Amino acid sequence: MKLFSRPAYPVLSGICIGISLSLVCLPYFYLDESCEFILVPSETQLPQMHNIKQKAWPYGNPDDFEPRINLDSKPVRGNVEKGKMIRPRFAASELGIREKLFLGVNARRDTLNTLGVAINRTAAQFVDKLLFFVEAQMEQAPNGLPVVSFKDERNVLQPFHTMKYVADQYLEEYDWFMFIEDNTYIRAEQVVEFVSHVSISQDLYLGRMVDELQSLYCDLRSGIIFSNTALRKMAPQLEWCTKNAFSMDHTDNVGRCVLHTTGLACTPTASGRNFSSFLSHDFVFDRDVARLRANPVFNASLTVHPVNDVRSMYKLHRYFCERDMALAEEEIASIEAEMKVTACLTPQGCSHLPWPISVSEPSQPKNRFDVIRWDYFTPTHMYFPNDHDNMVPLRGADKLDVDDVVGFSERKLEDKYPGRYAFQGLVSGYRRFDPSRGLDYLLDVALDDVQKGSRVHKRIRLVKPLSHMEVVPMPYVTENSRVHIVVPVNDFEMAVLPKFLQVYAETCLERNDNSQLYVVFVYSSAAAPAAPGQEESADEFSALRATIADYEKRFPEGARITTLDLRKAVPSQLDVVEVVAKRMQEQDALLLVASAGVLLETEFLNRVRMQTIRRTQVFLPIAFFQYHPKIIYEKKPYPEAIEISKDVGFFDRHSFDHVAFYLSDYVLARDAYSADVATGHRLQSTASANVTDLCSLFLRTDLHLFRAPDPALKHAWLPRRCNPLLPEAEYHRCLVRRGEGLASRSQLAMLILKQQRANKANDISPSSSSLPAA
C-alpha cells in the first residue's frame, strides 16, 4: 500500500519566515531574570539595560516613585456638598404638567360689582384660574372675587401690568393665557375645549383680527389667547412695551408689543379650529336675540362684545347653555340610533343591545356567591336589608330615594299616557345596587284607568346609572402626627387590659411609635376610693397600676402611659374625654378613644392619622369583634391572633366605641351643644335630644363623619354588661350587641342542636342545660 500526503515544506517555510520577520521588527534584549523596566524622565538619562543590575539608580529608591498629576490646564470643579433631594409634593409638578387655561379680566372699579360678579359666576367653574385686574387700589373688593390692583393709575399701561404680573406668578403653571375686558361675555367651557385641542408646542397669538386692511393685531375686546411659549418670550421685553404705548387703544398697544417681542401676527385659527367671536356696537339681549338665533356666527362664537347690561349677560349665558344642552341631546339621540343599527349587525343580534343604551350591562355572577341581592320594599318597610335584620322601617335616605323614584315614574307615566291613568301610589318594589352599573329598580304601582273605570297594576323598570366620579379635595395630612390613645377600663374589662398593654408595648413602645396612652380607670359609686380623712379601701385596679409602672421601667425613654381616675356610676364617652382633656396642654392633639379589648396594629394607627382631619373629618372605624371562644373553637388553647372570618367574628355596625378626632374639634362641638342646652334651643333630631356619645355630638356639627369597616382593627371577645341606668336607646343597642356578639346564627343553632341531643341522651330537661354565658 502506498501512502500519499501533502508536502509539509510550504507550512514550515511560512513558520520560519514569520519568526524571522518578528525578530527583525522587534528589538531583542537578553536580560537577567531580576531585570526591571523603569520609566525615566528622558532617554539620555537611561542607563545601559544590560548592566542595570550592577549600576546604582541615580534618582533614589525606585520603589518610592510617585506619579504627579498636572492640573494646571484642567478646570477645577468646586466641592458640591450633597444635600437631601427635595421632591415636589405632586407628581404633576415633577413631570412639568401644567393646568390648561388662565383667564385674566381687565376690569373697572365702577363695574366690578356688576359685570365682574357676572363673569365670575358664569366662567369661574370652567377655567382653572380667574383673576380680575383693576388700574388703582380698591378699599374693598366684592366677596369671593379674586382682584389684583395696581398702584399705577394710568389706564393705558394696565394690560402690560397685567401681563407682567401673570408672567411672574403663573407662567410655570398654565399652558394658555386669555385676556378679556369686563364687558365681554365668554363661553368659558367652549374656550377650554378649544384650547384643549390645540398643540402647546407652538407660539400662538390667537384672537379675532382687527377689521382693518393688512392688520396684524388681535382685537382685545373679543379676547386674545397667548400660548405659554409666546408669553414667555414677551415677559423679558415688557419694559419696551410700556415705553412705546403711544395709543389710547389697548388693542393697538398690545399688538405692537407682541409683534416686537415675538414677531407673531394675529391668527384666528389653530390646529384646524377657528376662534369665532361676535362683535356688535351695542348688544341688548331682549332686542337682538330674536334676530341672532339663526345667525351661525353668533351661535358658534366663543365671546360676545359688548355686553354692558348685567341682565343681558345672564340671559346670554342661559341662551348658550340651553343651546349646548339641545345640541348634546341631539348628538346623544343620533348616537343611540346608530348603536341600534350597529347592534343588529353583530353576531349576537339586536337582542344583545343593553338597556338603557350606553349604560353598562348588569354584571353576570360567576358563582352563587357573586349574585347581587334584590332588596324588597313597600311604602313603609324594607325586608331583609342586610344579614342581621328581617324587616326595618323605610326612613332616612332610603325613604327619600324611593320617593324620588316613585315621583319620577309618575311623571313618565303621565307623559306616555296623558289623561289615561290616575296614579294611586306604590304597591311594592325591588332595588339592587350593581357597582358596575348603578341602582336598578322594579316598581309595582297602582293606577286607575280613567277610560275603563278600573284599577290596574303596572310594573316599571328604572335605572339610576352611576355618574362621573368626582375627586373631593381634602386637606393634606401626614402619618407623623402623635396619636393620644384613650382607653377607659371598668371592673369587667380588667381581665383584658394586660393583653392590651402587651400588644401596645410590641406595637408602639418597642417600635418607638409616635403615640401616648391614657388609661382611665372607671370607679362606680360603690367601688370608689374613700374620701380623704377616711380609711382607705382596697383599690381594685392596684395590680393594673403596678403592671403599667413595670412597663414604664422597661421603657424609661419611650413609655408614655398616663393613668387617670373617673368616679361615676354610669359614665359616658364624653365624661372620659373630659377627664383626659383637662390634663392635656395641646389643643390640636389627635385623640383615639378605644376599648380595652382592641388589638392595636401599626396599620390602623397610620389610618387614624390619615383619615382624621382637623376642622374637616372625624374617623369612626367599625371594628371586627370576636365571637365567644368557647363556641367558635373546639378546644384549648385558643389562638391568640384573630382571623377575619364569618365563623370567627363580625363587623359590629352598632359599635361606636372607637372614635378618632382632634381635641379642638371636640371643644367646639361641646361648647356649641352646651350653648344650645343653656338657651333651650334643641333640635328635634334624636342625635341632639340626649348626647351621651361622641358620634351623637359630632353629628350636630358640620364635620364629615367617615365610618367604614377597618380590617386592621380587631377586638377580642368580652362579656358585655348592659346597665339599665343607661339611656333607653343606648341600653337597647347594648342588648342587641350582646345578642349578636355571642356567635353567628348557624353556630348558635348547632350549639342548641348539640345540647338538645345531649339532653335527650342523658334525659335532662332543657332548663338545666348549660350554654356559654354572654
Side-chain angles (χ1 to χ4, degrees), residues 88-240:
R89 178 177 171 184
F90 299 104
S93 302
E94 187 171 358
L95 298 176
I97 301 175
R98 296 186 290 259
E99 298 290 345
K100 187 59 64 177
L101 181 62
F102 173 93
L103 179 61
V105 182
N106 294 323
R108 295 161 294 175
R109 287 183 296 177
D110 55 342
T111 60
L112 196 60
N113 288 311
T114 54
L115 295 177
V117 173
I119 292 178
N120 184 59
R121 290 181 176 178
T122 57
Q125 57 182 326
F126 301 109
V127 299
D128 298 304
K129 185 69 175 181
L130 173 62
L131 284 181
F132 292 85
F133 300 91
V134 294
E135 70 277 4
Q137 296 286 345
M138 293 189 61
E139 296 181 358
Q140 186 177 2
N143 293 331
L145 206 65
V147 179
V148 177
S149 57
F150 304 108
K151 296 182 179 179
D152 193 347
E153 297 186 3
R154 291 176 291 180
N155 182 264
V156 69
L157 299 181
Q158 181 184 357
F160 303 115
H161 291 322
T162 300
M163 294 180 185
K164 176 64 176 175
Y165 179 86
V166 173
D168 293 341
Q169 301 293 330
Y170 302 105
L171 189 59
E172 302 298 334
E173 299 182 16
Y174 300 94
D175 290 330
W176 300 95
F177 300 88
M178 185 174 184
F179 301 95
I180 62 173
E181 295 183 352
D182 59 353
N183 60 344
T184 300
Y185 170 76
I186 174 176
R187 298 175 64 185
E189 186 177 9
Q190 300 299 324
V191 173
V192 172
E193 184 181 1
F194 173 81
V195 298
S196 298
H197 292 81
V198 180
S199 174
I200 62 174
S201 61
Q202 50 187 331
D203 300 341
L204 286 177
Y205 171 38
L206 284 167
R208 180 182 182 275
M209 298 184 67
V210 178
D211 295 333
E212 294 181 3
L213 186 62
Q214 298 181 351
S215 176
L216 302 177
Y217 302 159
C218 290
D219 197 336
L220 182 60
R221 298 175 300 174
S222 300
I224 54 177
I225 300 177
F226 293 105
S227 64
N228 183 279
T229 55
L231 188 60
R232 190 181 298 273
K233 292 181 179 180
M234 293 175 56
Q237 305 183 57
L238 288 176
E239 186 68 23
W240 181 93

Side-chain angles (χ1 to χ4, degrees), residues 185 187 276-301 303-307 312 315-316 319-320 323:
Y185 170 76
R187 298 175 64 185
S276 178
S277 177
F278 182 81
L279 187 63
S280 175
H281 296 289
D282 185 19
F283 177 81
V284 179
F285 182 84
D286 295 334
R287 182 191 65 193
D288 300 334
V289 69
R291 174 176 54 88
L292 295 174
R293 285 184 183 274
N295 190 340
V297 177
F298 175 75
N299 292 328
S301 61
T303 59
V304 178
H305 180 89
V307 184
S312 294
K315 291 180 180 180
L316 192 61
Y319 169 78
F320 281 112
R323 178 173 176 78

Side-chain angles (χ1 to χ4, degrees), residues 475-512:
Y476 180 71
V477 293
T478 63
E479 297 180 354
N480 300 326
S481 304
R482 172 177 292 186
V483 181
H484 300 265
I485 307 173
V486 181
V487 179
V489 181
N490 49 33
D491 53 354
F492 65 90
E493 293 177 335
M494 295 171 51
V496 296
L497 185 61
K499 177 64 176 179
F500 174 85
L501 294 174
Q502 177 186 352
V503 175
Y504 175 75
E506 296 174 355
T507 305
C508 300
L509 300 182
E510 294 180 359
R511 301 179 183 179
N512 198 20

Side-chain angles (χ1 to χ4, degrees), residues 59-60 108 116 138 245 259 265 328 409 418 429 438 457 475 549 640 645 705 734 738:
Y59 302 101
R108 295 161 294 175
M138 293 189 61
L259 190 62
S409 303
H457 288 181
E640 296 184 0
S645 172
L705 272 64
C734 180
R738 185 171 66 179

